[in-house]
Amino acid sequence: MPALNVEFSDRELEDLRQIAKERGTSMKALVREAAAADIARHRALQEGAEAFRRFFSAHADEFAAAFPDDEPPAVRGEGRAA
């Protein structure tokens, strides 16, 4: 399995040791779990943003009608993209 060396300040390292001890786990497992959780959170945010973009695009005319003051000024010769 590929590995990654990560540098921490003395304070961070001591905090990690303390947290790992309190949780009854290793520092390696603690750091890996934190990274895996951040990766999962990042993916979920990306998926949520994409779902919002699809929803907004599918309902763009409804949003424009409901919030006309928020519409950008139309550029001459360009219509609303479908």
Side-chain angles (χ1 to χ4, degrees):
M1 176 181 294
L4 173 68
N5 291 327
V6 180
E7 294 180 16
F8 295 98
S9 69
D10 291 339
R11 175 61 193 231
E12 291 167 334
L13 199 54
E14 185 55 39
D15 288 345
L16 285 171
R17 277 190 190 101
Q18 184 62 36
I19 294 167
K21 182 179 178 182
E22 289 171 5
R23 294 185 185 179
T25 191
S26 68
M27 289 175 40
K28 183 177 179 178
L30 179 70
V31 171
R32 187 178 187 304
E33 288 170 15
D38 196 51
I39 291 167
R41 185 172 33 257
H42 181 75
R43 285 179 183 158
L45 287 172
Q46 286 181 317
E47 291 169 6
E50 182 56 35
F52 174 79
R53 282 191 286 275
R54 284 192 309 269
F55 179 83
F56 187 83
S57 292
H59 299 279
D61 291 334
E62 296 166 64
F63 280 106
F67 306 103
D69 293 341
D70 293 335
E71 283 295 293
V75 177
R76 188 178 294 173
E78 290 186 15
R80 173 176 290 287

